[in-house]
Amino acid sequence: MRGSNALTHLVVRPIIRAFMAPVTESVFLVSYVKTYLLPDTSRQSKRKTSIKSNSINPVFNENLRYVISHSQLETRSLQVSVWHHDRFGQNRFLGEVELTFDTWELDTQIEEWYALQPKIEENIDTTMQYKGELTVVLKYIPAEKNLLLPLDQVQVSKGFLKGRKASSFSLPKGGMVELLIKGAKNLTAVKSGGTSDPFVKGYLLPDTNKSTKHKTEVQRRTVNPQWNHTFTYCGLQPGDLNNVCLELTVWDKEALASNVFLGGVRLGAGTGQSYGKDVDWMDSFGEEQRAWQRMIENPEVPQECTLLLRSSMRKCST
């Protein structure tokens, strides 16, 4: 496994050498290796070696390549399974091993042997099923810098501008969180042809009257959209940053029916509380939580992060 970019991405390149299949010496196998970058078990995550015939000790010497961000290492693992290929379509499972990344030497290639294990039925938390990834850039602008920005560089919700003349408009006191929605990849395809029409909707919680609602444009016929759209949230004092939460959800646009939920994230302190009250939406964890903290600690410095989309916006058990 080698780092293709020390700051942003990691190339996972497990070198498949050979496996001893759990069969008797008298049986010769037609075998291959299959991998998934869990928890994604979709076709996009699937990799396979070539098929090796008539051997219980096959040698593959093949590279199976994945590119993921460093921030996802703690939430992803590599499932490697070995199969007997049946030309009639009834392939037979021979064993598997699941590799986590927390002990891997990222800058070196190390050859190791692993004992194949029987298949284990997984009980996956429904909030953690793989639904794709969302890339955003966070930036906090303190109050003293916020006042120096030209008004045409600031976006606020339509509700805030309603009833105000442009000449009389001024920014609310306090700082500003600027959120750039860059894009997403590997979204669920819900339309025929394997596509979706995705857009992102955002709220700054707690929000009781939807005054902080923002939406991107709809990107048509894609599961890898690029929006490059900025949401701006004004009037935030430094003490507010540990009490608010940015909830972002991705949807498929439907013309004649309800929009389809594709996944979401929450960016915040993850303390379970907002202004002294217990709330179920203050449940940011992992990179959601770390990116928000980096934003607080480094005002005016953009913080880019790639986040795994939750498959449910119910309170996450971590």
Side-chain angles (χ1 to χ4, degrees), residues 128-187:
M128 295 303 295
Q129 294 177 18
Y130 184 79
K131 300 292 287 185
E133 302 158 27
L134 180 69
T135 298
V136 302
V137 181
L138 284 164
K139 182 168 66 174
Y140 176 62
I141 303 174
E144 61 273 16
K145 300 293 183 178
N146 185 16
L147 295 175
L148 300 178
L149 289 175
L151 293 182
D152 60 2
Q153 293 184 16
V154 178
Q155 294 181 0
V156 294
S157 68
K158 293 179 181 178
F160 184 81
L161 287 173
K162 187 175 181 181
R164 291 177 171 84
K165 296 181 179 179
S167 59
S168 64
F169 170 65
S170 62
L171 291 174
K173 295 180 179 179
M176 179 173 68
V177 169
E178 187 177 87
L179 174 73
L180 172 65
I181 308 291
K182 293 190 69 175
K185 64 179 182 178
N186 299 330
L187 297 179

Side-chain angles (χ1 to χ4, degrees), residues 24-42:
T24 63
E25 290 290 333
S26 60
V27 177
F28 290 94
L29 298 174
V30 181
S31 57
Y32 65 94
V33 174
K34 180 171 62 177
T35 66
Y36 287 102
L37 192 60
L38 300 179
D40 184 4
T41 57
S42 68

